[in-house]
Amino acid sequence: MEKLIITAAICGAEVTKEHNPAVPYTVEEMVREAKSAYDAGAAVIHVHVRHDDGTPTQDRERFRVVLDAIKAAVPDAILIPSTGGATGMTPEERLQPTELMPEMATLDCGTCNFGDDIFVNDMPTMRAFGKRMIENNIKPEYECFEIGHLDTVLDMANKGLVPGAPMQFNFVLGVAGCTPATVENLAFLVNKIPAGSTWTVTGVGRGAWPMAAAGIVMGGNVRVGFEDNIYLERGRKAKSNGELVEKVVALAKLLGREVATADEAREILGLKK
Ligand code: KMH
Ligand code: ZN
């Protein structure tokens, strides 16, 4: 089995300091959380940005400042800015971080319920995001929240509408209103991806730890972080993203899987030229 790539989704767009006071908003807090995750063993940092008051934004200049500050603190880490942003944002708003030419960015693979909201990724939106990533030579992380999202993006890849092989998928399971975080659902998805692809699993809420264990033993990769889950265990909040990553590292050790450095992760993801 390849080494395990751990991604830390350090802040997301929805979780707040009311949920967990360690959720980062400011540039300094973002750097603190990215560094805690990297030092604990994360090779990849998935980045959303906020204004200092916690409001989510996709502002290009805010992304520039945050990404530069994280790069200065952890130069090796692979940074994956979000093009998902928060529900209700326009496609144009969401695309702003792609203007900064990141090596990777998320590409969300279909519309779905998102708690009480709807996360809109209709076909014109997805075609525009695919075109932008082809033009700017950005490797997408294809985020699938629902089973049908995978078929949608595979069809687009066949038609050359999004970047093709080798594809990196992130199966985000357990969002309220979407495909539940079960091993059965994960196995169904993993069995459908093209040979040579890589994949990560993200379990949301109470799905976080079962999905982390499944990702480790099934040969995939694992995402954790405050975007998805704020608890180390029932009733015990994590004090940092680093604590969540440490738990994945401990699980991997128990289960006999080695953890990839950022350099090794770049190789596995095909980012090395
Ligand atoms: N905040 C969610 C509505 C992504 O980063 O690409 C979407 C999201 C996906 O987090
Ligand atoms: Zn995200």
Side-chain angles (χ1 to χ4, degrees):
M1 251 182 221
E2 292 273 23
K3 290 190 179 178
L4 173 73
I5 303 172
I6 303 174
T7 297
I10 60 176
C11 79
E14 292 80 19
V15 68
T16 68
K17 286 188 192 292
E18 282 68 52
H19 300 114
N20 185 325
V23 171
Y25 298 163
T26 67
V27 179
E28 293 71 26
E29 289 167 346
M30 289 293 291
V31 170
R32 180 197 73 213
E33 287 305 305
K35 188 160 164 37
S36 83
Y38 177 84
D39 289 345
V44 179
I45 312 290
H46 170 53
V47 182
H48 285 251
V49 297
R50 311 284 189 97
H51 293 297
D52 283 352
D53 68 359
T55 314
T57 175
Q58 287 292 103
D59 180 68
R60 185 186 60 193
E61 292 315 307
R62 184 66 168 185
F63 260 106
R64 191 196 302 278
V65 170
V66 170
L67 292 172
D68 284 352
I70 295 176
K71 270 184 214 152
V74 287
D76 291 349
I78 299 165
L79 306 185
I80 306 188
S82 172
T83 66
T87 56
M89 289 178 172
T90 65
E92 293 71 29
E93 239 179 315
R94 286 168 48 187
L95 270 174
Q96 291 177 75
T98 62
E99 294 166 20
L100 302 171
M101 308 293 185
E103 58 187 325
M104 291 186 73
T106 60
L107 196 161
D108 297 288
C109 299
T111 297
C112 55
N113 287 313
F114 210 91
D116 287 353
D117 299 322
I118 299 176
F119 183 31
V120 178
N121 295 286
D122 55 19
M123 294 309 297
T125 299
M126 289 181 64
R127 283 195 287 269
F129 282 38
K131 183 167 179 284
R132 173 65 61 83
M133 296 208 196
I134 290 169
E135 283 168 1
N136 288 12
N137 196 25
I138 299 168
K139 180 181 172 89
E141 177 168 76
Y142 293 108
E143 294 217 1
C144 299
F145 298 82
E146 292 276 33
I147 280 170
H149 290 182
L150 179 57
D151 296 272
T152 306
V153 76
L154 290 178
D155 184 54
M156 291 181 78
N158 279 336
K159 292 176 176 150
L161 296 171
V162 293
M167 297 170 84
Q168 155 63 13
F169 300 92
N170 179 19
F171 301 123
V172 184
L173 302 180
V175 169
C178 294
T179 301
T182 67
V183 172
E184 188 185 17
N185 289 336
L186 179 60
F188 180 89
L189 288 159
V190 170
N191 286 334
K192 286 198 169 342
I193 63 177
S197 306
T198 50
W199 64 273
T200 298
V201 64
T202 301
V204 174
R206 70 189 58 178
W209 301 116
M211 289 301 100
I216 293 167
V217 297
M218 288 167 68
N221 303 296
V222 172
R223 181 176 109 176
V224 289
F226 288 152
E227 176 165 351
D228 312 311
N229 163 55
I230 56 171
Y231 291 99
L232 267 180
E233 58 190 34
R234 188 190 287 254
R236 193 169 146 224
K237 289 184 183 177
K239 292 196 177 68
S240 66
N241 279 276
E243 281 196 341
L244 297 169
V245 173
E246 273 169 22
K247 181 163 171 175
V248 181
V249 172
L251 279 173
K253 193 161 185 225
L254 277 172
L255 296 167
R257 183 115 183 255
E258 282 185 82
V259 174
T261 63
D263 217 37
E264 290 166 339
R266 256 196 195 87
E267 194 90 47
I268 295 166
L269 292 168
L271 292 170
K272 288 214 156 151
K273 304 280 138 56

